[in-house]
Amino acid sequence: MNIIITGGAGFIGSNFVFHMLKEHPQDRVICLDKLTYAGNLSTLAPVMDQDNFRFVKADICDRNAVYRLFEEEHPDVIVNFAAESHVDRSIENPAIFLETNIMGTAVLMDACRKYGIQRYHQVSTDEVYGDLPLDRPDLFFTETTPIHTSSPYSSSKASADLLVLAYHRTYGLPVTISRCSNNYGPYHFPEKLIPLMIINALHDKPLPVYGDGLNVRDWLYVEDHCRAIDLILQKGRVGEVYNVGGHNEMRNIDIVKLICKELGKPESLIHHVTDRKGHDRRYAIDPTKIHKELGWLPETKFADGIKKTIQWYLDHEDWWQPIISGEYQQYYQKMYGSRG
Ligand code: NAD
Ligand code: TYD
């Protein structure tokens, strides 16, 4: 099988590239990535010379480049991770989110229609369901929860999902969609909560918690997400959406305190800063469908996963140091300098 993985130089995409090469060594994996600020070719260095792996630097919005790649590789399966993925950046500049997340998805699916494929899989997010109130712990997102977005990021992801389902209904494209909760693990870009807090704590820098810090996210170890997508490709029903989450709800403030504890840093590093605009209160996934239909269950408990993740950042300064010493500095100053 030839599989194109878009966004494979980013956080989840790279973990998925490694997962597929390990679990399906007979398959050929082609990674298509634009290498934006979030894409990192050094992440893929361990597999770059493998015979059944190819890296192509291209933009999913570039129709000619995408069609050329389909002509060269005759892919059977496309898994689309490529996206602008950071909510705070989407609040600053929505346009690129619409371009990549919506138009890029359309270009990929047009290529699938033109050349024919067995499966197009869209990697989506639980954020398309909006948020849940903190005082209703009985409520969870199911696949039939109405789409109700808050940020330009989640709106762009929801738009892409609607387009994917429309291509299925209108053109019969064999699609599946997964909507996963917040991932954590190796190669997570340090603008996101967990790696940002680990790296700041290591430098004894302030830990900027938005608002009251009581917002809840449902955290899943990245490898569990990769296994879920692999299963959906193998056994998922075409035209279906699968929620992926591990019933692991945590308040932001508790995660930051845990990171302080694990690193032996004082909680006095924690600073409550101006809240994110439109900040979603709580995400919580009901994963019954993927469990019952495909037998998927998360394998990594948060207590173990967070220890592994912290250890990974301690062991891989060579991966994150070049990131935080580059343009990331300007980003950090812009986003946090005046947050107070
Ligand atoms: P990321 O920002 O770490 O990586 C995105 C990758 O896409 C980068 O390698 C980047 O270079 C590439 N890319 C961006 N624009 C591109 C373009 N126009 N053409 C080709 N490549 C492009 O993101 P991530 O956290 O790994 O998320 C991957 C996917 O999973 C996204 O679609 C995101 O919406 C979804 N998702 C993420 C989470 C999470 O917790 N991180 C949870 C659920 C779903
Ligand atoms: P993030 O990692 O950006 O993921 P998402 O917004 O997609 O859930 O943020 C996770 C949570 O952490 C979210 O509630 C915002 C909060 N947060 C902070 O409190 N401080 C920070 O510096 C960042 C990046 C996030």
Side-chain angles (χ1 to χ4, degrees), residues 86 127 182 191-193 208-210 217 252 276 279 336:
H86 192 36
E127 300 193 27
N182 286 60
E191 68 188 351
K192 304 283 171 60
L193 179 78
V209 170
Y210 297 166
R217 297 292 183 266
N252 294 341
R276 174 185 279 172
H279 198 174
Y336 294 90

Side-chain angles (χ1 to χ4, degrees), residues 266-322:
E267 288 183 7
S268 56
L269 286 176
I270 296 174
H271 286 230
H272 288 268
V273 300
T274 310
D275 209 352
R276 174 185 279 172
K277 291 188 181 83
H279 198 174
D280 281 336
R281 262 328 222 177
R282 171 176 168 249
Y283 301 144
I285 283 272
D286 176 352
T288 306
K289 179 173 174 180
I290 190 166
H291 174 55
K292 288 223 165 111
E293 276 191 25
L294 309 184
W296 178 88
L297 276 177
E299 286 178 359
T300 301
K301 291 197 182 71
F302 189 77
D304 301 329
I306 192 73
K307 280 198 174 73
K308 270 204 278 189
T309 303
I310 291 173
Q311 193 57 49
W312 189 88
Y313 280 87
L314 287 171
D315 294 342
H316 292 82
E317 191 173 339
D318 57 332
W319 182 82
W320 54 262
Q321 193 60 51

Side-chain angles (χ1 to χ4, degrees), residues 9-52:
F11 165 44
I12 311 174
S14 61
N15 278 280
F16 189 70
V17 165
F18 298 144
H19 170 94
M20 292 304 278
L21 288 171
K22 181 161 165 260
E23 298 299 324
H24 306 281
Q26 72 287 358
D27 289 349
R28 176 170 165 78
V29 171
I30 302 111
C31 170
L32 182 158
D33 198 297
K34 185 183 175 184
L35 296 181
T36 66
Y37 77 94
N40 196 335
L41 207 47
S42 77
T43 304
L44 296 171
V47 296
M48 212 49 131
D49 294 332
Q50 251 175 253
D51 287 343
N52 60 341

Side-chain angles (χ1 to χ4, degrees), residues 126-173:
D126 61 357
E127 300 193 27
V128 301
Y129 299 121
D131 65 351
L132 296 163
L134 289 180
D135 61 358
R136 289 295 305 275
D138 56 314
L139 296 181
F140 296 91
F141 299 136
T142 72
E143 290 78 0
T144 55
T145 300
I147 300 284
H148 184 85
T149 55
S150 313
S151 69
Y153 164 68
S154 54
S155 305
S156 68
K157 293 296 289 184
S159 306
D161 282 12
L162 294 176
L163 208 53
V164 172
L165 294 172
Y167 270 56
H168 172 63
R169 172 151 176 176
T170 306
Y171 307 116
L173 198 70

